[in-house]
Amino acid sequence: MKKYIFLLLSVTFMSCEPNHKNRILLQSAIDEYSSGNYENAEKYVIEYLEDDPSDIYALLLKGKILFFKKEFENASATFEKAASLKQENIDAQLWYLRSLIFSGNYEKADAVTDNVLKENSEDWRFYFWKAQIKKITGELEDYFSCMNTAELLLQDSAMLYQEFADIWEELGLAERSSVYKKKVEAVKK
């Protein structure tokens, strides 16, 4: 009986240990990332991904680490994998787009933005980033069009403008605060 209980406990412990180890690895990666130790964070997240290569949140963490290490092409590949695993994950799509822009891959970034906007035409952030692509590539008419669309989508959110007004006021920048207070009033009309 004792052998049976020992065997059962051993099997249970062994089956739980990798999950516990992975949780520790992922938490270590997050801690290192949060304190700006990207080399250590990358080491931990890579080890974690060896056991669970399709964990979208670990992939996002790895991509962000690479992004902040200015390894934009590697970050793009990582974010692309994360975005392909869960296409409705807006965070993955945004980081993928940013990394493409920062790596200078404007054509692909523009195509990604178009693809996302087909499914999600209400997110101002994609219009904003599309505008940035157009500005970089010298397509100013498209730049203004995208910026106008982003602004129109934002106008529904007077709370955002009010938050900016409050922050600038708290920072002692009354002039900037008044700009956003005027926007709040304009949106409310």
Side-chain angles (χ1 to χ4, degrees):
M1 181 70 171
K2 285 183 180 179
K3 286 184 180 181
Y4 175 74
I5 291 173
F6 178 76
L7 181 62
L8 181 64
L9 288 174
S10 296
V11 170
T12 303
F13 178 76
M14 288 170 53
S15 66
C16 292
E17 186 59 27
N19 290 332
H20 179 70
K21 178 187 171 200
N22 277 353
R23 282 194 301 270
I24 290 172
L25 284 171
L26 190 56
Q27 186 58 54
S28 297
I30 292 167
D31 292 344
E32 294 292 332
Y33 170 79
S34 297
S35 49
N37 298 324
Y38 300 130
E39 295 298 328
N40 287 339
E42 183 179 16
K43 179 182 72 171
Y44 290 128
V45 79
I46 286 172
E47 190 175 342
Y48 174 87
L49 286 167
E50 286 173 2
D51 286 338
D52 193 355
S54 60
D55 182 323
I56 188 170
Y57 300 105
L59 287 168
L60 284 171
L61 178 60
K62 180 183 176 191
K64 289 175 185 179
I65 292 164
L66 293 169
F67 185 89
F68 289 114
K69 287 176 62 181
K70 298 185 183 344
E71 295 180 24
F72 302 120
E73 289 180 17
N74 291 334
S76 292
T78 303
F79 289 130
E80 181 178 28
K81 181 175 181 182
S84 71
L85 290 171
K86 193 171 184 182
Q87 292 186 348
E88 65 274 9
N89 187 304
I90 299 301
D91 197 33
Q93 297 288 349
L94 281 167
W95 278 102
Y96 179 41
L97 179 59
R98 287 182 194 119
S99 64
L100 287 170
I101 292 169
F102 276 80
S103 67
N105 197 340
Y106 307 123
E107 190 174 312
K108 188 166 187 177
D110 197 33
V112 166
T113 306
D114 287 341
N115 194 35
V116 170
L117 287 172
K118 286 177 190 172
E119 300 296 321
N120 183 5
S121 62
E122 299 298 312
D123 194 324
W124 68 271
R125 298 171 296 182
F126 289 101
Y127 287 101
F128 171 79
W129 284 107
K130 186 167 183 67
Q132 300 312 303
I133 295 165
K134 297 303 181 182
K135 182 178 178 184
I136 291 167
T137 58
E139 300 170 65
L140 294 182
E141 190 173 321
D142 289 338
Y143 164 77
F144 286 114
S145 174
C146 291
M147 286 299 286
N148 286 336
T149 303
E151 185 177 28
L152 287 172
L153 290 169
L154 277 173
Q155 283 183 354
D156 292 336
S157 181
M159 288 184 350
L160 177 69
Y161 292 139
Q162 185 62 53
E163 180 69 22
F164 277 127
D166 293 345
I167 289 171
W168 290 122
E169 188 76 32
E170 288 175 25
L171 293 174
L173 298 170
E175 192 173 306
R176 274 201 181 161
S177 177
S178 70
V179 168
Y180 284 96
K181 286 179 182 177
K182 288 176 186 173
K183 289 183 180 189
V184 169
E185 293 305 313
V187 169
K188 288 183 178 179
K189 288 183 182 179

